[in-house]
Amino acid sequence: MLSRKFKIERKDFPKDLRVGRGFYSPHLSLFVFKSPGDKPSRFSFVVSAKISKKATTRNLLRRRGYDVVKGLPLVGPASLCVFYFKKGSDKISFSETKKEIISLLEKSKILPQ
């Protein structure tokens, strides 16, 4: 699991998505916001009940996302990264999820290419 200092706290969660930049893939959307202060880049994974009615499935997707981010060398500017899972993302494998997360982070210049 990802350390608490790398997760976005509820009070820091961006309310207005128009302020951030959006990056998209077939099963995920990433919104990147400037981070307040000098904290490291922080992450959040949002899975709607529209994706799956089962909480266990939604939690599995969240855990997969945090597991992928945990082992990455982040070099970009300090930012808040919010991933949104799209419909159909509960049917893809862990390796496909990992590829999409990494490609989105490379597009947003959080990861080196």
Side-chain angles (χ1 to χ4, degrees), residues 14 19 26-27 34 40 50 55 62 69-70 86-87 98 100:
V19 176
H27 298 102
K34 290 184 179 180
K50 292 178 182 178
R62 265 189 225 103
V69 172
K70 180 172 75 171
K86 296 180 183 178
K87 285 189 177 185
K98 183 175 182 176
E100 287 192 24

Side-chain angles (χ1 to χ4, degrees), residues 59-79:
N59 290 336
L60 174 71
L61 292 173
R62 265 189 225 103
R63 283 191 210 108
R64 283 180 178 178
Y66 285 125
D67 191 45
V68 170
V69 172
K70 180 172 75 171
L72 297 177
L74 305 172
V75 295
S79 54

Side-chain angles (χ1 to χ4, degrees), residues 4-50:
R4 179 160 243 159
K5 70 179 180 177
F6 294 111
K7 291 183 181 181
I8 299 175
E9 296 174 6
R10 191 174 291 263
K11 65 179 178 173
D12 295 333
F13 201 83
K15 302 287 187 255
D16 189 7
L17 295 180
R18 292 175 289 177
V19 176
R21 289 199 55 209
F23 301 92
Y24 306 95
S25 71
H27 298 102
L28 290 163
S29 298
L30 168 64
F31 289 92
V32 180
F33 305 89
K34 290 184 179 180
S35 180
D38 59 346
K39 293 182 178 181
S41 292
R42 294 178 292 159
F43 302 90
S44 180
F45 289 87
V46 178
V47 186
S48 171
K50 292 178 182 178

Side-chain angles (χ1 to χ4, degrees), residues 61-111:
L61 292 173
R62 265 189 225 103
R63 283 191 210 108
R64 283 180 178 178
Y66 285 125
D67 191 45
V68 170
V69 172
K70 180 172 75 171
L72 297 177
L74 305 172
V75 295
S79 54
L80 302 177
C81 301
V82 182
F83 288 91
Y84 289 91
F85 283 89
K86 296 180 183 178
K87 285 189 177 185
S89 59
D90 58 334
K91 308 224 181 339
I92 62 173
S93 67
F94 175 74
S95 60
E96 291 178 53
T97 305
K98 183 175 182 176
K99 286 178 189 174
E100 287 192 24
I101 290 173
I102 290 173
S103 70
L104 287 173
L105 288 172
E106 286 174 346
K107 283 182 193 176
S108 66
K109 300 200 176 26
I110 302 290
L111 269 181

